[in-house]
Amino acid sequence: MQGGIFAREDGASCQDPPGILREESVTKARKWNTDIPSILPHERVFPIQIGSELFRLSGASISSDAPSYFSQFFQCQLQQAEDNGDDSNAIRTLYIDRDPVTFRDISLHLQGYHVMPRDGSHFVKLFADAQFYSLPRLISQLYEESIFISVGQRDFQVPRELFSDPGNSPNYFSLGFAVFFSTPTEVFPGLNREGLLRPPSIIPPAVPNRSADTFAEILHLLRGYPLHIKNEDHRAELLRDCKYFHLKGLEQKLIRHSITFNLARNRHEITLRLDDVRQSGISVVSDLSTPPPPELSTASSAPSFSPPPVSGWVNYARPFVDDRAYELVLEIGDECTRLHLSSMRCEFFGDGKTRVSRLFEVIATKLNLPTSQPLGLLMKKGGASSQPASPGNTPISEDWVRCVLGEESFVRLDGREWRGHTSGLEDSICGNRSAATSGDEGDGGGGLLHPSQPSRKRRRTEMSSGGGEEKESWVVKTGQWRLRVQNARNGKGGIECVLVAVKIDAVSGERGRNMQRLFLAG
């Protein structure tokens, strides 16, 4: 700069001071943000009394956020004065019985300042008065502001988009405090604004009966940050509040699971508890490359008109989280499973039986098979159907579910690794009891070897000869199973679902269970 002459980038010079936009293209680009419509005379001052306090605002300030309650009132005043030939300076004062403290911030907004809510109470006052005064620009601004929520006597400022994710919406906040999540034209649905003296009272969103610390961790997760799960009690607290606030996507991220790649099977697997399975994540993937299990391969006398073999595995993808499905390894615990060794069938009890039944109903539905029960994994009753919840009431299983213990299955029995040979078990699946019996008579071939007994022949004599009860059985404390869909040989339908054991922790009887009991601490 020399002598008040300012150099430009193109080498020319001008006498315009810096900081003032003179370029025509830039001026046009900013015109929408700086120009004020000529709704009221910009130079005129209009009196507005809010409660006990008198405000004087220019026509420019009122026109900056119009059309509004104020602009329409004073437009009518000016029009009446013009029609009556009165002095246009005789403008009546607009009196409104509202809070003058809140209107101070609104007047600052009309004068061009950015007004940010300070807390939940301030937010709802601005929100309600902006609606009442019909200030479109302030309404739009408040709909972009964060929402103030009080949880457990602690205030939180939460961006709206955290609760707008498809997996987490609708939720407790968008439903319980819908006035803050609706569109500006639907903020008070069903409310007649004609002659409205004052807007409905709005209280700030508050959830006093939940933990503020837990909610802070939920917000941390919703923002995309990782969170260290301290223990299972900590996980249970987070899941409990996710269910309370109806944050389904976040709940699916927090449930206990494991996703790994099984190099031996060349597949990705997801291990999930039975309680956490949701019907929308289930799928059945055909697997023609894998040979059928032993119960199909031993059927050398199968008729030539038998249906083509069906081979597939149940896969699972967590709703709202996983973009692909993984082979499901289902974990069933709570000692709800009894494994009958002679028939290789699993009998389920209590809530586990109900959940397995519902799971099989969903699998049958995915296979386009008719089901006798209403669809749903977590239904405790049969709904419209009077049949009790049982795998036998589904088209893909009997009451006792067929299962397989293969050589790759790991079994811990009574606290010790069990190394029994499984060919006798597999033969029993297809009804070939002769092979199983011959295996029992040999020292090392094909029988089930118990850690404390040399063979299964001794234990077979303990089984009852009639009825459905079998004395030789294990109580499975926790088991991990793959779910295989295949042709049924002796089942009631053409397709069955078989549980293929991955890992089992079982007890052989009451003594084995008592051995693993723990004394009460303290």
Side-chain angles (χ1 to χ4, degrees):
M1 180 184 73
Q2 295 180 355
I5 304 300
F6 301 91
R8 297 190 346 185
E9 292 183 358
D10 57 1
S13 61
C14 67
Q15 296 185 357
D16 296 332
I20 299 179
L21 297 174
R22 299 296 182 181
E23 294 290 341
E24 183 179 359
S25 60
V26 177
T27 305
K28 288 183 178 180
R30 297 185 72 246
K31 195 171 184 179
W32 66 272
N33 193 34
T34 57
D35 280 5
I36 298 175
S38 299
I39 296 177
L40 294 175
H42 289 187
E43 69 281 358
R44 288 287 302 270
V45 176
F46 298 90
I48 303 174
Q49 183 165 348
I50 305 297
S52 59
E53 191 168 339
L54 180 64
F55 296 84
R56 297 182 181 275
L57 295 176
S58 68
S61 294
I62 296 176
S63 301
S64 67
D65 197 353
S68 65
Y69 185 91
F70 311 115
S71 64
Q72 292 178 356
F73 176 84
F74 290 116
Q75 272 184 315
C76 291
Q77 290 290 307
L78 293 175
Q79 186 64 41
Q80 286 181 355
E82 183 179 350
D83 294 342
N84 297 332
D86 298 337
D87 185 4
S88 60
N89 292 323
I91 298 296
R92 288 190 305 162
T93 299
L94 172 62
Y95 175 77
I96 302 176
D97 189 15
R98 297 295 289 174
D99 178 28
V101 177
T102 304
F103 192 77
R104 290 174 196 163
D105 292 317
I106 294 179
S107 64
L108 289 175
H109 160 76
L110 294 175
Q111 291 165 351
Y113 297 97
H114 179 80
V115 178
M116 180 177 295
R118 295 183 292 271
D119 51 34
S121 177
H122 187 216
F123 176 83
V124 295
K125 289 179 180 179
L126 283 175
F127 188 86
D129 279 7
Q131 297 289 335
F132 180 66
Y133 300 139
S134 299
L135 300 170
R137 199 158 55 86
L138 182 57
I139 292 173
S140 177
Q141 174 188 323
L142 291 176
Y143 268 97
E144 297 174 359
E145 292 284 350
S146 300
I147 295 179
F148 292 85
I149 300 173
S150 175
V151 178
Q153 311 303 324
R154 189 192 302 177
D155 292 330
F156 294 89
Q157 188 173 356
V158 184
R160 295 171 182 269
E161 57 269 18
L162 287 187
F163 294 133
S164 302
D165 184 74
N168 296 315
S169 180
N171 52 58
Y172 180 93
F173 303 100
S174 63
L175 295 175
F177 307 103
V179 65
F180 301 110
F181 291 89
S182 58
T183 60
T185 58
E186 300 173 348
V187 62
F188 296 127
L191 180 66
N192 184 11
R193 296 174 180 267
E194 294 294 332
L196 183 66
L197 294 179
R198 61 188 56 180
S201 60
I202 307 175
I203 61 174
V207 190
N209 60 339
R210 309 310 293 180
S211 168
D213 293 335
T214 303
F215 186 71
E217 292 178 330
I218 288 177
L219 292 181
H220 190 72
L221 289 167
L222 288 174
R223 290 187 174 100
Y225 292 99
L227 180 67
H228 173 65
I229 305 296
K230 303 173 185 176
N231 47 48
E232 287 305 306
D233 291 338
H234 185 208
R235 186 189 303 274
E237 289 180 1
L238 292 170
L239 286 173
R240 182 167 54 247
D241 276 16
C242 282
K243 292 178 181 178
Y244 184 88
F245 294 128
H246 213 61
L247 302 173
K248 294 182 178 180
L250 184 58
E251 177 188 349
Q252 290 298 310
K253 291 181 180 180
L254 289 174
I255 59 174
R256 189 74 173 179
H257 70 283
S258 174
I259 298 178
T260 58
F261 180 75
N262 189 332
L263 189 59
R265 296 173 60 83
N266 196 29
R267 295 172 186 169
H268 284 88
E269 299 175 339
I270 180 170
T271 304
L272 208 64
R273 290 172 177 167
L274 176 62
D275 298 356
D276 297 325
V277 175
R278 299 293 179 267
Q279 70 180 50
S280 59
I282 296 173
S283 61
V284 180
V285 178
S286 61
D287 182 18
L288 301 178
S289 61
T290 302
E295 59 267 31
L296 292 180
S297 61
T298 56
S300 58
S301 59
S304 57
F305 55 88
S306 61
V310 174
S311 176
W313 299 91
V314 175
N315 283 231
Y316 189 81
R318 291 171 298 163
F320 313 113
V321 177
D322 296 329
D323 55 359
R324 54 161 296 181
Y326 310 97
E327 188 173 279
L328 177 62
V329 177
L330 185 66
E331 182 172 309
I332 305 176
D334 299 329
E335 295 188 32
C336 66
T337 310
R338 174 173 286 137
L339 174 57
H340 298 277
L341 296 176
S342 65
S343 60
M344 283 309 296
R345 298 271 183 168
C346 284
E347 182 183 7
F348 295 97
F349 298 88
D351 188 60
K353 181 177 182 179
T354 302
R355 293 182 182 275
V356 170
S357 303
R358 303 304 179 224
L359 174 60
F360 280 16
E361 289 174 7
V362 176
I363 295 174
T365 304
K366 301 293 183 178
L367 296 171
N368 296 322
L369 299 177
T371 58
S372 59
Q373 295 275 13
L375 186 63
L377 283 178
L378 304 180
M379 295 172 56
K380 297 298 182 66
K381 296 182 180 180
S385 175
S386 60
Q387 294 179 332
S390 172
N393 292 329
T394 67
I396 58 174
S397 178
E398 303 290 343
D399 287 335
W400 292 5
V401 181
R402 192 184 300 273
C403 59
V404 174
L405 279 178
E407 293 183 358
E408 70 281 358
S409 304
F410 178 84
V411 178
R412 179 183 290 109
L413 184 63
D414 295 334
R416 293 173 291 177
E417 182 179 355
W418 182 80
R419 295 180 179 274
H421 198 279
T422 58
S423 62
L425 294 179
E426 294 167 351
D427 290 338
S428 68
I429 294 176
C430 60
N432 190 357
R433 296 300 182 86
S434 60
T437 305
S438 62
D440 290 337
E441 295 174 353
D443 291 336
L448 280 171
L449 301 182
H450 191 276
S452 59
Q453 295 180 347
S455 69
R456 288 186 57 217
K457 184 176 182 181
R458 173 182 170 185
R459 302 207 307 277
R460 278 181 180 273
T461 60
E462 299 176 357
M463 301 179 186
S464 59
S465 57
E469 294 293 330
E470 297 181 7
K471 292 184 178 180
E472 180 50 40
S473 61
W474 294 344
V475 175
V476 181
K477 299 176 63 178
T478 304
Q480 292 183 348
W481 312 83
R482 292 188 180 92
L483 281 72
R484 183 176 183 83
V485 177
Q486 62 185 33
N487 286 94
R489 288 186 53 83
N490 300 321
K492 62 181 180 181
I495 298 177
E496 66 179 348
C497 185
V498 179
L499 299 179
V500 181
V502 177
K503 183 177 181 179
I504 290 178
D505 183 9
V507 293
S508 58
E510 184 68 13
R511 184 175 182 273
R513 188 178 187 276
N514 291 339
M515 181 180 65
Q516 300 185 45
R517 283 181 180 269
L518 299 176
F519 291 104
L520 297 178

